[in-house]
Amino acid sequence: MTTKHGTMQDWPLNVWKLIDHAAINHGDREIVSLTCEGHEVRTDWRQVQGRARKVAGALRRLGVQQGDRVATLAWNTHRHVESWYGISGMGAVAHTINPRLFEDQIVYIANHAEDAVLFFDLTFVKLVEKLAPRLETVRHYVLLTDREHMPEETSLTLHCYEDLIAPEDADAPWTEVDENAPSGLCYTSGTTGNPKGVQYSHRANVLHAYGACMGDVLDIRSTTVVFPVVPMYHANSWGVPYAAAAVGAKLVMAGPNFDPPTIAKLIRQESVTLTLAVPTIWLGMLQHLEATGGDLGTLQRVVIGGSAAPRFMIEAFEETYGVDVCHAWGMTEMTPLGTLGSLSAEAMTLPRDQQLDLKCKQGRAIFGVELKLVDDEGRELPRDGVAFGRLLVRGPWIVGSYFKGDGGNILDAEGWFDTGDVATIDPRGYMQITDRSKDVIKSGGEWISSIEIENIAGGCPGVAEAAVIGVAHPKWDERPLLIIVKKEGASVSAADVLGYLEGKIAKWWTPDAVEFVEAIPHTATGKIQKTALRERFAGYTLAA
Ligand code: AMP
């Protein structure tokens, strides 16, 4: 007799099962946070799970319904993790808002999401006071602190987090929801047009957690001490608080602190083995270590994503500090991990220089993510490491549509999602981002990778940061303009930088001009803000 289905149990993949697992099997494993009150709080998975159940109970008491959105405007702390699991655990949707967005964008996002409750950190009291009259759906404001730190005077009607959850039962059951029900919501940074929401299902988050823990991915295990510097509002800290619970890793979080001395101190003090952040954080860290002669203790691996890590950065971490560097690529629409740059068995046998070439690429697809390159007509391009085209993705943790159907149908007939990135894939399967499709420089019908030039120029002595944009050219349509921020006190010239690039990039990729600026603008998630640079240098004239 044949049966239509397999004969295994139907065990819905709910995110609260991750934290239950951690509490039961790794209950004493620590969660260490720096908080907005200036304390260092040491707790563990057992306590955080109990308090998350209390959050769930408190939200039920406040009248929050299944599927409602509950927002957080908060740094990485144990209270944020508790709230996150508590919100999803009572069937609501944890909506992490990026506090670095412009005020109008925060208002737009909160109203669009129809957030019913807002949890926020002490740092944001003034901001929330200002925004509250414009937040159309928020019924309750919860300040993530204790009674002692509640503000004496405020225009807001506030719940104190610790008081709110105190009467609740730490053993109260979670709300059973379908594994395809929403558990989280995150808006894209929206460099053009309004931000769009990506609503993660329980299932997508749990599958992503399995994927993230794999050895060739983040390699998180119970013995790992993981420190996501990347904030929970930036694509769920790249899934780390879910993955850490899945295996019972020790979790370290820096609260509102992003300065290199605090991060370096935490890494050493907590014997961190794995940390993750965008390149700008690591740029600051390398400068700090260089200036102070400090080290990174027992740190084994730095995962860099969000933007490309330049070669000099990879070399500095590996050669000076003995820390393995691994690229991660993904996006909010991908929960967010898509590829990881860990070395394959074959790559391990290559000479160091070739290994570094591979490490500069964004890496190989994780099981659960399919990649495809196509040209502008949608024809598939070869995986030869040379042809570059639009990068499409497909898989169980890739977005199927934006929240409320914004943007209409975003998948092609075969279910592929266009990432908006332009990339190559080599025969070994290593994908390399050459640009965002809107940043690529089209010179005489050929494409120039702004990212590649930036990453090499960033390694020139005296250069603190480099950005490349296309500017109009009478003969070639567009040519690259190199924009440089000098290191403090350095006296690097245009000729020095162009000389440094010589032989490292194709001759016709050489920027036509170099401009020095005080600072390069960044987006709310730490990427170079090319739109602002293009506006600033609009009308820039290059000689024919
Ligand atoms: P976000 O959704 O804000 O995380 O932005 C996702 C975008 O960041 C991707 O589509 C890429 O353009 C870029 N990105 C993410 N990771 C990397 C990486 N490792 N190297 C280069 N670009 C990256």
PDB file of all heavy atoms in Angstrom, residues 5 56 123 155 157 525:
ATOM      1  N   HIS A   5       1.625  10.759   1.914  1.00  0.00           N
ATOM      2  CA  HIS A   5       2.634  11.481   2.689  1.00  0.00           C
ATOM      3  C   HIS A   5       3.581  10.487   3.348  1.00  0.00           C
ATOM      4  O   HIS A   5       3.263   9.313   3.477  1.00  0.00           O
ATOM      5  CB  HIS A   5       1.952  12.313   3.775  1.00  0.00           C
ATOM      6  CG  HIS A   5       1.034  13.358   3.218  1.00  0.00           C
ATOM      7  ND1 HIS A   5       1.487  14.456   2.534  1.00  0.00           N
ATOM      8  CD2 HIS A   5      -0.311  13.454   3.240  1.00  0.00           C
ATOM      9  CE1 HIS A   5       0.454  15.181   2.146  1.00  0.00           C
ATOM     10  NE2 HIS A   5      -0.651  14.601   2.561  1.00  0.00           N
ATOM     11  N   ALA A  56       5.237  37.118  26.669  1.00  0.00           N
ATOM     12  CA  ALA A  56       4.080  36.616  25.910  1.00  0.00           C
ATOM     13  C   ALA A  56       2.806  36.810  26.725  1.00  0.00           C
ATOM     14  O   ALA A  56       1.785  37.298  26.213  1.00  0.00           O
ATOM     15  CB  ALA A  56       4.285  35.141  25.558  1.00  0.00           C
ATOM     16  N   THR A 123      17.581  54.859  25.536  1.00  0.00           N
ATOM     17  CA  THR A 123      18.233  55.778  24.591  1.00  0.00           C
ATOM     18  C   THR A 123      17.222  56.517  23.713  1.00  0.00           C
ATOM     19  O   THR A 123      17.532  57.583  23.182  1.00  0.00           O
ATOM     20  CB  THR A 123      19.125  54.969  23.604  1.00  0.00           C
ATOM     21  OG1 THR A 123      19.469  53.733  24.193  1.00  0.00           O
ATOM     22  CG2 THR A 123      20.299  55.739  23.142  1.00  0.00           C
ATOM     23  N   SER A 155       6.161  62.832  28.261  1.00  0.00           N
ATOM     24  CA  SER A 155       4.817  63.046  27.707  1.00  0.00           C
ATOM     25  C   SER A 155       4.142  61.710  27.384  1.00  0.00           C
ATOM     26  O   SER A 155       2.971  61.660  27.036  1.00  0.00           O
ATOM     27  CB  SER A 155       4.933  63.890  26.431  1.00  0.00           C
ATOM     28  OG  SER A 155       5.812  63.248  25.527  1.00  0.00           O
ATOM     29  N   THR A 157       2.663  57.818  27.993  1.00  0.00           N
ATOM     30  CA  THR A 157       2.107  56.915  29.012  1.00  0.00           C
ATOM     31  C   THR A 157       2.858  55.608  28.845  1.00  0.00           C
ATOM     32  O   THR A 157       2.727  54.943  27.809  1.00  0.00           O
ATOM     33  CB  THR A 157       0.599  56.698  28.758  1.00  0.00           C
ATOM     34  OG1 THR A 157       0.001  57.974  28.664  1.00  0.00           O
ATOM     35  CG2 THR A 157      -0.035  55.887  29.880  1.00  0.00           C
ATOM     36  N   THR A 525      22.270  50.980   7.628  1.00  0.00           N
ATOM     37  CA  THR A 525      22.860  49.672   7.912  1.00  0.00           C
ATOM     38  C   THR A 525      24.349  49.647   7.548  1.00  0.00           C
ATOM     39  O   THR A 525      24.929  48.591   7.327  1.00  0.00           O
ATOM     40  CB  THR A 525      22.125  48.536   7.162  1.00  0.00           C
ATOM     41  OG1 THR A 525      21.971  48.920   5.792  1.00  0.00           O
ATOM     42  CG2 THR A 525      20.768  48.259   7.763  1.00  0.00           C
TER      43      THR A 525
END
